[in-house]
Amino acid sequence: MDSHTVAVRRDEETLHHEAEHPPYLRHHFETVEQQREAVSFGMWLFLLTEIMFFGGLFMAYLLYRNWYYEAFVSASNTLGIGLGTTNTAILILSSFTMAMGVYSAEMRNRRGLMLSLSLTIVLGLAFLGIKTIEYHEKFVEHHVPGATFSIEDFVHPKDSRDAALAPDMAQHAQLFFFLYFAMTGMHALHMIIGISILFALLWKAYQGNYINGHTATIDNFGLYWHFVDIVWIFLFPLLYLISRHPLH
Amino acid sequence: MSHPTLEDDHTDHHIVGPKVYGLILLALMAMTALTTGIAFINLGVFSPIVAIGIACIKATLVILFFMHIKYSSRLMMLTVGAGFFTFLVLITMTLSDYMSRAWGLW
Amino acid sequence: MSTIVRLPNQQDATLPRVSYLNKEYGLKSWLLTGDHKRIAILYLISITFFFFLGGAFAGLIRLELLTPLPDLVASDTYNKLFTMHGIIMVFLFLVPSVPATIGNFVLPIMLGARDLAFPKVNLLSWYLYVVAGIFTVSALVLGGVDTGWTFTTPLSTHYLNTHVVTAALGIFVAGFSSIFTGLNFIVTTHRMRAPGMTWFRMPLFVWSHYAASILMVLGTPVLAITLVLVALERTIGIGVFDPSKGGDPLLFQHLFWFYSHPAVYIMILPGMGVISEVISTFSRKRVFGYTAVAFSSVAIAVFGFFVWAHHMFIMGVSNYSALVFSLLTMLVAVPSAIKIFNWSATLYKGSITFETPMLYAFGFIGLFTIGGLTGVFLGSLGMDIHLTETYFIVAHFHFVMVGGMLMAYLAGVHFWWPKMTGRMYPEAVSKLAAVVTFIGFIITFFPQFVLGYLGMPRRYHAYPPEFQVLNVLSTAGATVLGIGYLMPMIYMTWSLKYGAIAGANPWQATGLEWQIASPPPTENFLEIPIVDHEAYDYEWLANKTEHEVTTVG
């Protein structure tokens, strides 16, 4: 056996070893498949905790919506349905772009991945921008719960189609706005965290990561992003669509 | 040497394509328009039911296709189910207390 | 007295040359470790610190209660004492006790894995625990919290100006520490079992931790959001829990107890896992009804989510609701009872020896049974009206948590101590400590059942003089109990340097952790084992021991 064939054999062994143990395989896992499934499972379990975390807020909302329905109707009607619907569409589109990002990573398409991540960032920022406009509106209209809250709009509504509330019921509109800010605020916090991670992912994608078969990070971030989208899918009808006035 | 685990629930790594994603996107957009439009129609007690129903369908589509559950192992499906089940327990059992109280506005 | 302990010849026995303890040196190698065994030791140290802190508060409480008059501390201070005792003991001791110290250490090894699924998340878990501890100590140092560990509204949101938010923040962070531990265990159990290690070959310890982990992952987030709402309520004051502004204080309680009831199962299930291992080993017999015990763990976890309002029977829930929750509470007692029956059946016709872990296990069975049965009394509506918010409740939960869980924790620490350190603790003095603890416990807490029945309310630091005798008895017991808990601190520390070399399997136990060196190497197994025997298979162990030469080091 001459040295040439020995050298060739060792190269084959190294290649085979690297195919079985790529550098991103952590030492406590036996195979890449095991690692991928474990990480994905871990991410889903984390999302379960998020379901239960938001669950508490949904419970509070359901209770007070039923106790103070009139106040919730009036308060909900002060939210801009155009902006709300637009935001819902933006977020759904961003879920699409994120899913396309996962596809690009799996197809080892670096530019496609970077484009998808960038679009997702832009859409996410657009969502937050609209939310800022909405929050500002509420502040200006004295609908922010607490010291600056005014029941004027509810006791003497400007729009003739709105029902006038008794003062004590009008005070309960604060509960609606508290839950509005708490739920959309918690949601926005998750969006901000998500967008920050997206920037990091975009940078790493630019450096050539995620397109070598190790798409787990993009996959699992996608799960997180879709979950944040799902929370909004429920928040939108609950907060914005409580008995809108019929169109004339 | 690799020692795969005995978990019998392995799935092939199924890659979902742009066509599926595109269809789901259109469906989600359509349902968003639908739910906003329906909000202006007075359906009485059915309004919240329809709204939540549409939201549930949208969420299901996102979970099945964008989050790949349709192509995942039974364990993942069970996990998602367990999460929603626990959420429902919180909501229904708490609400059952409120709904059965003499005072309150039920 | 006979013993199954078989130690290597102490003349020439040594610890393994390289183990997880000395593989790397330096503070950084410990504080940045991914090794589940090192993280377990980090937890062991921090948990012990908080146990003694919480215990110190208990001592002060019992001291105050020696006399009927409020003469030791001011009223507000007394409230702070029992609040801090509760918060520290529940969130910083009991919840992480077995899972984070013993579970972290042995669970991967029991499954034949090299580590948990997410070592970095495991380390994060410990850091979150430390941060939680810092917040809690800060709340203490800044002046304390006096709401009771249950943070009942609107007292906690509107009528107190103590450091509720700081404490709530601490518990919030501790909650995430717990969540990440549970998440790690679930993924590891599903995905990292060695070849041949089917679900029904796993030690029952793993089943209990799996069930507890489900509770951690699904229940704890609700506590987190509840604490956020309390904090927001305190800062903005909207009225989400304030009746004068249209809120419902009971909403807080629904959300709080939705976690806090499963929390008690999070606390006890891992302890039950320890008991299964200990009872089997010291009866030389497989656990009777393995499948029943395994499924009952999961049943406790599932049913545990359906019974939370039994903490709220007198708070204003509807009669219908109280009825349903009472019925479900009766049902949830059944799986726990199944375990007790199965452990008893394991003992029957077993070759029983009375090493220290077994003493603690016997203590557990007796005391947990009493505590559990009194829980059934409390679950029945008529009795609860008289017994709730009295010392009967205090006695009930101390029987299950201290007589039950803490004894199980001590059993576990003693049982796996040789594995973790390579050394045996001194058997005679440890047996004495176990007996002292048991006696001290009974004297401390049994009188409290009587006190509660006679009507002494809980969380009061002044009481009618006719209750003094029982209170003095209880405090006397607490002193004995304190001694019983201090003793292990001393002799366990002593054993680190002077204890006998234990060898790989001093207890002749089955289980993969006993087939590797004590202390284990960092990677646990040189080669991942292929499992071909059932759990608690003592014949397999006898066969194996016959055919191999046991070497140490």
Side-chain angles (χ1 to χ4, degrees):
Chain A
M1 205 185 305
D2 61 52
S3 57
H4 177 68
T5 44
V6 171
V8 167
R9 193 168 299 132
R10 191 172 299 136
D11 280 336
E12 283 173 6
E13 277 178 25
T14 315
L15 274 176
H16 180 63
H17 177 86
E18 273 185 9
E20 271 200 6
H21 290 274
Y24 55 81
L25 178 62
R26 308 290 315 284
H27 283 151
H28 53 284
F29 288 113
E30 297 295 308
T31 67
V32 173
E33 186 65 18
Q34 185 192 30
Q35 178 175 297
R36 203 178 53 79
E37 286 180 356
V39 175
S40 185
F41 190 19
M43 189 55 178
W44 272 109
L45 286 173
F46 177 71
L47 293 180
L48 288 197
T49 69
E50 296 275 37
I51 294 177
M52 297 313 295
F53 188 69
F54 277 95
L57 289 173
F58 277 99
M59 182 61 236
Y61 167 90
L62 282 174
L63 175 66
Y64 293 127
R65 170 179 169 145
N66 277 287
W67 274 15
Y68 307 122
Y69 184 67
E70 294 85 4
F72 270 52
V73 169
S74 298
S76 168
N77 275 308
T78 68
L79 298 177
I81 197 169
L83 288 179
T85 311
T86 307
N87 253 354
T88 310
I90 287 176
L91 214 49
I92 290 174
L93 191 60
S94 78
S95 256
F96 171 76
T97 55
M98 190 62 223
M100 286 306 295
V102 171
Y103 176 75
S104 297
E106 282 165 348
M107 291 289 112
R108 310 197 177 209
N109 177 352
R110 179 166 159 265
R111 304 199 73 189
L113 174 61
M114 286 179 63
L115 179 64
S116 300
L117 291 176
S118 307
L119 283 174
T120 311
I121 290 175
V122 166
L123 290 166
L125 289 172
F127 179 93
L128 290 176
I130 293 182
K131 269 252 88 33
T132 314
I133 295 172
E134 288 183 295
Y135 279 10
H136 177 72
E137 242 178 46
K138 289 297 111 200
F139 177 71
V140 158
E141 291 172 359
H142 295 287
H143 290 161
V144 174
T148 60
F149 187 80
S150 157
I151 57 170
E152 197 52 36
D153 286 339
F154 302 103
V155 176
H156 300 117
K158 297 193 204 79
D159 190 326
S160 58
R161 295 173 301 172
D162 285 331
L165 299 176
D168 59 340
M169 181 57 87
Q171 281 292 347
H172 296 319
Q174 280 196 85
L175 270 172
F176 173 87
F177 287 114
F178 171 73
L179 287 165
Y180 168 77
F181 281 108
M183 294 168 92
T184 60
M186 189 59 75
H187 177 263
L189 176 64
H190 282 78
M191 294 267 317
I192 293 170
I193 293 172
I195 293 172
S196 312
I197 297 177
L198 271 168
F199 274 113
L201 293 179
L202 181 61
W203 174 246
K204 296 203 84 170
Y206 171 71
Q207 292 179 319
N209 288 296
Y210 313 129
I211 51 169
N212 53 1
H214 182 47
T215 61
T217 312
I218 299 290
D219 286 337
N220 291 313
F221 177 79
L223 290 178
Y224 173 81
W225 192 259
H226 295 308
F227 175 76
V228 176
D229 183 23
I230 289 176
V231 173
W232 183 261
I233 283 174
F234 283 101
L235 284 185
F236 173 60
L238 288 176
L239 293 172
Y240 288 79
L241 303 181
I242 313 178
S243 190
R244 291 263 156 182
H245 316 116
L247 295 168
H248 289 314
Chain B
M1 231 205 90
S2 54
H3 291 280
T5 57
L6 266 195
E7 199 76 290
D8 56 357
D9 243 349
H10 291 303
T11 44
D12 293 320
H13 190 48
H14 186 288
I15 298 181
V16 184
K19 245 190 293 191
V20 174
Y21 289 147
L23 278 170
I24 299 299
L25 172 67
L26 288 174
L28 290 171
M29 290 299 196
M31 278 190 278
T32 306
L34 179 68
T35 199
T36 304
I38 282 191
F40 291 100
I41 303 172
N42 187 355
L43 294 172
V45 74
F46 286 106
S47 280
I49 297 175
V50 167
I52 292 295
I54 294 177
C56 284
I57 297 174
K58 287 163 84 177
T60 308
L61 287 179
V62 173
I63 291 175
L64 284 178
F65 294 100
F66 283 171
M67 299 172 90
H68 303 159
I69 282 295
K70 188 167 189 299
Y71 313 102
S72 294
S73 59
R74 273 174 308 159
L75 177 62
M76 292 303 118
M77 295 183 194
L78 189 65
T79 306
V80 177
F84 282 110
F85 175 71
T86 315
F87 170 78
L88 285 173
V89 167
L90 170 65
I91 301 295
T92 53
M93 289 183 82
T94 309
L95 280 181
S96 73
D97 169 37
Y98 286 103
M99 287 168 71
S100 56
R101 285 193 208 166
W103 52 278
L105 299 171
W106 293 92
Chain C
M1 181 152 285
S2 64
T3 177
I4 53 161
V5 174
R6 235 191 269 170
L7 299 176
N9 187 336
Q10 293 298 306
Q11 299 269 324
D12 45 7
T14 55
L15 293 175
R17 201 175 44 84
V18 180
S19 72
Y20 78 97
L21 286 169
N22 60 9
K23 180 87 182 277
E24 284 178 295
Y25 284 105
L27 202 58
K28 235 176 83 167
S29 75
W30 278 89
L31 294 181
L32 292 178
T33 184
D35 183 3
H36 64 104
K37 300 182 288 299
R38 285 192 167 198
I39 294 174
I41 301 296
L42 290 173
Y43 263 111
L44 180 66
I45 298 170
S46 24
I47 279 176
T48 308
F49 169 75
F50 282 106
F51 173 67
F52 281 105
L53 186 59
F57 289 128
L60 287 169
I61 292 171
R62 287 296 348 147
L63 221 52
E64 166 65 80
L65 291 174
L66 270 176
T67 60
L69 291 173
D71 43 14
L72 185 67
V73 294
S75 314
D76 282 350
T77 310
Y78 185 79
N79 294 347
K80 290 173 186 174
L81 286 175
F82 67 69
T83 303
M84 296 309 294
H85 170 72
I87 291 176
I88 292 176
M89 286 311 203
V90 170
F91 295 111
L92 296 178
F93 177 69
L94 282 169
V95 167
S97 59
V98 170
T101 55
I102 304 174
N104 259 334
F105 198 100
V106 297
L107 192 128
I109 310 178
M110 282 179 167
L111 294 177
R114 295 202 182 284
D115 204 319
L116 289 175
F118 308 117
K120 290 206 192 103
V121 174
N122 198 12
L123 184 66
L124 174 67
S125 208
W126 181 73
Y127 275 109
L128 289 175
Y129 174 85
V130 171
V131 168
I134 291 174
F135 270 117
T136 309
V137 171
S138 305
L140 177 64
V141 162
L142 287 169
V145 191
D146 54 348
T147 59
W149 80 275
T150 48
F151 287 98
T152 312
T153 58
L155 179 72
S156 61
T157 48
H158 289 90
Y159 297 103
L160 293 170
N161 56 3
T162 49
H163 299 275
V164 175
V165 176
T166 316
L169 215 58
I171 299 172
F172 181 91
V173 175
F176 277 97
S177 170
S178 181
I179 287 173
F180 289 138
T181 300
L183 192 151
N184 236 329
F185 284 174
I186 294 176
V187 178
T188 308
T189 309
H190 272 278
R191 287 280 176 239
M192 293 178 73
R193 286 169 284 123
M197 177 62 82
T198 61
W199 278 86
F200 292 99
R201 283 181 179 167
M202 295 191 314
L204 288 166
F205 181 90
V206 181
W207 276 99
S208 328
H209 278 70
Y210 179 72
S213 299
I214 294 176
L215 291 169
M216 284 185 223
V217 167
L218 290 173
T220 319
V222 181
L223 176 73
I225 193 64
T226 311
L227 294 171
V228 168
L229 285 173
V230 168
L232 286 175
E233 181 73 347
R234 276 186 74 82
T235 44
I236 313 174
I238 294 316
V240 69
F241 298 134
D242 182 1
S244 69
K245 294 190 183 148
D248 187 16
L250 226 53
L251 176 65
F252 167 83
Q253 291 195 35
H254 273 296
L255 294 175
F256 178 81
W257 287 111
F258 183 85
Y259 163 72
S260 298
H261 186 78
V264 315
Y265 297 120
I266 291 175
M267 292 188 263
I268 198 71
L269 274 168
M272 289 172 157
V274 172
I275 299 300
S276 288
E277 301 302 311
V278 170
I279 296 259
S280 169
T281 303
F282 297 101
S283 324
R284 315 302 303 157
K285 209 169 151 241
R286 56 180 288 280
V287 176
F288 183 88
Y290 174 102
T291 320
V293 178
F295 281 139
S296 70
S297 301
V298 180
I300 290 175
V302 175
F303 277 107
F305 271 119
F306 302 152
V307 299
W308 77 87
H310 67 221
H311 300 267
M312 298 159 61
F313 283 153
I314 60 163
M315 297 294 178
V317 293
S318 69
N319 287 338
Y320 159 80
S321 201
L323 188 75
V324 168
F325 278 105
S326 174
L327 203 69
L328 291 166
T329 304
M330 299 299 163
L331 287 178
V332 81
V334 172
S336 299
I338 288 177
K339 284 178 184 280
I340 301 279
F341 289 140
N342 278 300
W343 289 323
S344 307
T346 308
L347 291 169
Y348 178 66
K349 290 204 174 167
S351 309
I352 300 176
T353 49
F354 295 92
E355 285 79 353
T356 307
M358 191 59 154
L359 289 181
Y360 281 115
F362 275 125
F364 176 99
I365 291 185
L367 298 175
F368 176 79
T369 305
I370 296 174
L373 284 175
T374 54
V376 178
F377 300 166
L378 292 164
S380 81
L381 294 171
M383 291 208 70
D384 189 70
I385 293 177
H386 294 284
L387 298 174
T388 197
E389 301 306 309
T390 66
Y391 261 82
F392 196 91
I393 294 250
V394 176
H396 158 72
F397 64 68
H398 281 95
F399 261 78
V400 282
M401 284 298 134
V402 180
M405 185 52 215
L406 181 49
M407 289 214 138
Y409 175 68
L410 289 169
V413 170
H414 283 79
F415 186 61
W416 278 287
W417 188 257
K419 180 54 56 186
M420 286 163 46
T421 62
R423 298 211 179 249
M424 286 297 280
Y425 53 84
E427 185 65 27
V429 71
S430 65
K431 282 200 173 90
L432 179 64
V435 173
V436 166
T437 308
F438 183 78
I439 294 174
F441 177 87
I442 302 240
I443 302 176
T444 311
F445 290 107
F446 199 84
Q448 294 186 7
F449 275 129
V450 183
L451 278 169
Y453 172 74
L454 291 175
M456 178 175 170
R458 67 185 287 201
R459 295 177 169 169
Y460 277 38
H461 72 324
Y463 53 83
E466 57 260 34
F467 292 148
Q468 183 167 23
V469 174
L470 289 167
N471 269 297
V472 170
L473 200 56
S474 183
T475 303
T479 317
V480 177
L481 193 59
I483 294 172
Y485 291 142
L486 273 169
M487 288 168 71
M489 269 298 288
I490 300 170
Y491 66 69
M492 293 301 225
T493 315
W494 176 92
S495 79
L496 287 174
K497 196 147 192 276
Y498 300 108
I501 305 280
N505 197 354
W507 309 120
Q508 312 296 306
T510 61
L512 289 175
E513 76 272 27
W514 300 107
Q515 317 311 323
I516 61 175
S518 305
T522 303
E523 64 274 18
N524 297 342
F525 301 97
L526 293 170
E527 251 200 49
I528 297 292
I530 298 179
V531 178
D532 55 2
H533 57 278
E534 302 302 310
Y536 315 112
D537 194 337
Y538 289 95
E539 273 120 41
W540 166 84
L541 181 69
N543 234 337
K544 182 173 173 291
T545 326
E546 250 177 59
H547 293 124
E548 68 183 32
V549 178
T550 24
T551 52
V552 175

